[in-house]
PDB file of all heavy atoms in Angstrom:
ATOM      1  N   LYS A 239       4.682 -15.850  -9.670  1.00 97.00           N
ATOM      2  CA  LYS A 239       3.554 -16.755  -9.417  1.00 97.00           C
ATOM      3  C   LYS A 239       2.201 -16.055  -9.532  1.00 97.00           C
ATOM      4  O   LYS A 239       1.191 -16.710  -9.783  1.00 97.00           O
ATOM      5  CB  LYS A 239       3.692 -17.388  -8.031  1.00 97.00           C
ATOM      6  CG  LYS A 239       4.871 -18.345  -7.905  1.00 97.00           C
ATOM      7  CD  LYS A 239       5.042 -18.830  -6.469  1.00 97.00           C
ATOM      8  CE  LYS A 239       6.269 -19.732  -6.343  1.00 97.00           C
ATOM      9  NZ  LYS A 239       6.511 -20.126  -4.933  1.00 97.00           N
ATOM     10  N   VAL A 240       2.175 -14.741  -9.314  1.00 98.00           N
ATOM     11  CA  VAL A 240       0.877 -14.050  -9.286  1.00 98.00           C
ATOM     12  C   VAL A 240       0.677 -13.087 -10.449  1.00 98.00           C
ATOM     13  O   VAL A 240      -0.452 -12.654 -10.709  1.00 98.00           O
ATOM     14  CB  VAL A 240       0.684 -13.277  -7.952  1.00 98.00           C
ATOM     15  CG1 VAL A 240       0.733 -14.229  -6.769  1.00 98.00           C
ATOM     16  CG2 VAL A 240       1.719 -12.160  -7.794  1.00 98.00           C
ATOM     17  N   SER A 241       1.746 -12.742 -11.152  1.00 97.00           N
ATOM     18  CA  SER A 241       1.652 -11.715 -12.194  1.00 97.00           C
ATOM     19  C   SER A 241       1.449 -12.334 -13.568  1.00 97.00           C
ATOM     20  O   SER A 241       2.065 -13.342 -13.919  1.00 97.00           O
ATOM     21  CB  SER A 241       2.922 -10.860 -12.206  1.00 97.00           C
ATOM     22  OG  SER A 241       2.934 -10.016 -13.342  1.00 97.00           O
ATOM     23  N   SER A 242       0.604 -11.675 -14.358  1.00 97.00           N
ATOM     24  CA  SER A 242       0.409 -12.051 -15.758  1.00 97.00           C
ATOM     25  C   SER A 242       1.030 -11.010 -16.686  1.00 97.00           C
ATOM     26  O   SER A 242       0.756 -11.016 -17.897  1.00 97.00           O
ATOM     27  CB  SER A 242      -1.091 -12.180 -16.051  1.00 97.00           C
ATOM     28  OG  SER A 242      -1.717 -13.066 -15.157  1.00 97.00           O
ATOM     29  N   SER A 243       1.842 -10.106 -16.122  1.00 97.00           N
ATOM     30  CA  SER A 243       2.393  -8.968 -16.869  1.00 97.00           C
ATOM     31  C   SER A 243       3.911  -9.038 -16.927  1.00 97.00           C
ATOM     32  O   SER A 243       4.546  -9.760 -16.150  1.00 97.00           O
ATOM     33  CB  SER A 243       1.966  -7.655 -16.195  1.00 97.00           C
ATOM     34  OG  SER A 243       0.573  -7.556 -16.112  1.00 97.00           O
ATOM     35  N   PRO A 244       4.538  -8.266 -17.839  1.00 98.00           N
ATOM     36  CA  PRO A 244       5.998  -8.195 -17.881  1.00 98.00           C
ATOM     37  C   PRO A 244       6.574  -7.676 -16.566  1.00 98.00           C
ATOM     38  O   PRO A 244       6.038  -6.737 -15.982  1.00 98.00           O
ATOM     39  CB  PRO A 244       6.270  -7.207 -19.027  1.00 98.00           C
ATOM     40  CG  PRO A 244       5.051  -7.287 -19.890  1.00 98.00           C
ATOM     41  CD  PRO A 244       3.911  -7.514 -18.948  1.00 98.00           C
ATOM     42  N   LEU A 245       7.672  -8.292 -16.121  1.00 98.00           N
ATOM     43  CA  LEU A 245       8.269  -7.946 -14.841  1.00 98.00           C
ATOM     44  C   LEU A 245       9.602  -7.224 -15.021  1.00 98.00           C
ATOM     45  O   LEU A 245      10.371  -7.525 -15.929  1.00 98.00           O
ATOM     46  CB  LEU A 245       8.471  -9.201 -13.993  1.00 98.00           C
ATOM     47  CG  LEU A 245       7.184  -9.926 -13.566  1.00 98.00           C
ATOM     48  CD1 LEU A 245       7.517 -11.189 -12.776  1.00 98.00           C
ATOM     49  CD2 LEU A 245       6.280  -9.009 -12.752  1.00 98.00           C
ATOM     50  N   VAL A 246       9.854  -6.289 -14.100  1.00 98.00           N
ATOM     51  CA  VAL A 246      11.047  -5.443 -14.125  1.00 98.00           C
ATOM     52  C   VAL A 246      11.845  -5.689 -12.854  1.00 98.00           C
ATOM     53  O   VAL A 246      11.283  -5.808 -11.769  1.00 98.00           O
ATOM     54  CB  VAL A 246      10.660  -3.942 -14.193  1.00 98.00           C
ATOM     55  CG1 VAL A 246      11.899  -3.074 -14.349  1.00 98.00           C
ATOM     56  CG2 VAL A 246       9.667  -3.692 -15.309  1.00 98.00           C
ATOM     57  N   LEU A 247      13.164  -5.741 -13.003  1.00 98.00           N
ATOM     58  CA  LEU A 247      14.029  -5.958 -11.840  1.00 98.00           C
ATOM     59  C   LEU A 247      15.224  -5.022 -11.949  1.00 98.00           C
ATOM     60  O   LEU A 247      15.970  -5.060 -12.925  1.00 98.00           O
ATOM     61  CB  LEU A 247      14.484  -7.413 -11.807  1.00 98.00           C
ATOM     62  CG  LEU A 247      14.983  -7.980 -10.486  1.00 98.00           C
ATOM     63  CD1 LEU A 247      13.907  -7.873  -9.406  1.00 98.00           C
ATOM     64  CD2 LEU A 247      15.406  -9.426 -10.651  1.00 98.00           C
ATOM     65  N   LYS A 248      15.399  -4.183 -10.900  1.00 98.00           N
ATOM     66  CA  LYS A 248      16.460  -3.170 -10.919  1.00 98.00           C
ATOM     67  C   LYS A 248      17.060  -3.049  -9.508  1.00 98.00           C
ATOM     68  O   LYS A 248      16.881  -2.052  -8.825  1.00 98.00           O
ATOM     69  CB  LYS A 248      15.862  -1.830 -11.377  1.00 98.00           C
ATOM     70  CG  LYS A 248      16.849  -0.820 -11.965  1.00 98.00           C
ATOM     71  CD  LYS A 248      16.086   0.380 -12.529  1.00 98.00           C
ATOM     72  CE  LYS A 248      16.989   1.308 -13.332  1.00 98.00           C
ATOM     73  NZ  LYS A 248      17.811   2.176 -12.500  1.00 98.00           N
ATOM     74  N   PRO A 249      17.790  -4.084  -9.052  1.00 97.00           N
ATOM     75  CA  PRO A 249      18.292  -4.071  -7.673  1.00 97.00           C
ATOM     76  C   PRO A 249      19.555  -3.237  -7.498  1.00 97.00           C
ATOM     77  O   PRO A 249      20.215  -2.856  -8.470  1.00 97.00           O
ATOM     78  CB  PRO A 249      18.580  -5.552  -7.410  1.00 97.00           C
ATOM     79  CG  PRO A 249      18.858  -6.131  -8.753  1.00 97.00           C
ATOM     80  CD  PRO A 249      18.105  -5.315  -9.762  1.00 97.00           C
ATOM     81  N   ASN A 250      19.857  -2.987  -6.236  1.00 95.00           N
ATOM     82  CA  ASN A 250      21.134  -2.359  -5.900  1.00 95.00           C
ATOM     83  C   ASN A 250      22.265  -3.368  -6.095  1.00 95.00           C
ATOM     84  O   ASN A 250      22.031  -4.577  -6.214  1.00 95.00           O
ATOM     85  CB  ASN A 250      21.139  -1.897  -4.445  1.00 95.00           C
ATOM     86  CG  ASN A 250      20.192  -0.739  -4.194  1.00 95.00           C
ATOM     87  OD1 ASN A 250      19.694  -0.114  -5.128  1.00 95.00           O
ATOM     88  ND2 ASN A 250      19.926  -0.455  -2.938  1.00 95.00           N
ATOM     89  N   ALA A 251      23.480  -2.862  -6.052  1.00 95.00           N
ATOM     90  CA  ALA A 251      24.657  -3.742  -6.120  1.00 95.00           C
ATOM     91  C   ALA A 251      24.936  -4.300  -4.727  1.00 95.00           C
ATOM     92  O   ALA A 251      26.001  -4.088  -4.141  1.00 95.00           O
ATOM     93  CB  ALA A 251      25.856  -2.974  -6.657  1.00 95.00           C
ATOM     94  N   GLY A 252      23.938  -4.978  -4.172  1.00 90.00           N
ATOM     95  CA  GLY A 252      24.079  -5.511  -2.819  1.00 90.00           C
ATOM     96  C   GLY A 252      23.716  -4.481  -1.780  1.00 90.00           C
ATOM     97  O   GLY A 252      22.847  -3.625  -1.983  1.00 90.00           O
ATOM     98  N   LEU A 253      24.405  -4.545  -0.641  1.00 82.00           N
ATOM     99  CA  LEU A 253      24.131  -3.654   0.486  1.00 82.00           C
ATOM    100  C   LEU A 253      25.275  -2.654   0.661  1.00 82.00           C
ATOM    101  O   LEU A 253      26.432  -2.966   0.374  1.00 82.00           O
ATOM    102  CB  LEU A 253      23.940  -4.477   1.762  1.00 82.00           C
ATOM    103  CG  LEU A 253      22.766  -5.469   1.707  1.00 82.00           C
ATOM    104  CD1 LEU A 253      22.734  -6.325   2.970  1.00 82.00           C
ATOM    105  CD2 LEU A 253      21.444  -4.749   1.508  1.00 82.00           C
TER     106      LEU A 253
END
Side-chain angles (χ1 to χ4, degrees):
K239 293 174 183 176
V240 300
S241 170
S242 306
S243 302
L245 295 178
V246 185
L247 200 59
K248 202 173 190 282
N250 291 347
L253 299 175

